[in-house]
Amino acid sequence: MTKIDFKKTLKTLYAPSKKDFSLVDVPSMNFVMIDGAGPPGNQAYVDACEWLYPISYGLKFMSKIDLGRDYVVPPLEGLWWADSMSAYTEDRRDEWLWTLMIMQPEWITSKMFTRSLEKASKKLGTPPETLRFEAFQEGQSAQIMHIGPYSKEGPILARLHDEYMPENRLTWNRKHHEIYLSDPRRAAPEKLKTVLRQPVRSV
């Protein structure tokens, strides 16, 4: 049985250049999602991961056994925003808002999600109110690969917002998006790989 690795089959989405920004048209894809607030790694963030991974692995094994289709569970992704952009520029992390999510193959259905959720709930208890399975589409987006600590993303995002976007007559269109290709528990901070993505539109 062939095991699909979406990081390889969807290289335009998961393997951008680390030197230059590029534009990509992100199609509609299905995700398991949970909303939360506060800094990365707080209890809400940890709790969200403790739901997203069991459900996603449950769906993977369900797909392998029931459908004969195996795949590598895609990486964790996050949408980040705040009611005021100064919450980011002044590093007021308690005001940050986020959606953590893991992409699901197109053949995964809402019925399969419900089955996996029911199984996870037997171990984890009552699921978060915002836990859901839904389609998400970003469309045209600018992105780049960041290699290094999450704390060093600032200068790259400043280049994106202050140089690349104005030079290409682009403006924001939806929330800042990060894709975490490395496990911070296993990789050294200077080797972490993160796709930084910003949906954009022409002005």
Side-chain angles (χ1 to χ4, degrees), residues 100-163:
L100 292 183
M101 56 195 198
I102 296 178
M103 190 272 280
Q104 307 299 321
E106 60 183 357
W107 60 84
I108 298 297
T109 66
S110 58
K111 288 184 178 179
M112 294 171 70
F113 166 74
T114 299
R115 286 170 56 196
S116 187
L117 173 59
E118 290 174 348
K119 185 175 181 179
S121 298
K122 293 179 180 178
K123 292 185 177 180
L124 299 174
T126 304
E129 291 184 3
T130 62
L131 176 58
R132 61 198 184 276
F133 174 78
E134 66 180 32
F136 177 70
Q137 182 172 9
E138 290 176 296
Q140 187 180 52
S141 301
Q143 63 179 21
I144 194 169
M145 180 74 76
H146 168 60
I147 298 179
Y150 304 133
S151 60
K152 300 297 184 181
E153 294 176 3
I156 298 175
L157 296 176
R159 278 176 48 215
L160 172 65
H161 299 158
D162 300 337
E163 298 176 22

Side-chain angles (χ1 to χ4, degrees), residues 44 84 89 93 112 146 158 182-183 188 193:
S84 171
T89 58
R93 297 189 173 200
M112 294 171 70
H146 168 60
S182 304
D183 185 342
K193 293 183 178 181

Side-chain angles (χ1 to χ4, degrees), residues 24-47:
V24 62
D25 189 18
V26 185
S28 177
M29 295 184 288
N30 293 327
F31 289 84
V32 177
M33 299 174 150
I34 298 178
D35 301 330
N42 70 356
Q43 192 58 52
Y45 188 103
V46 172
D47 291 345

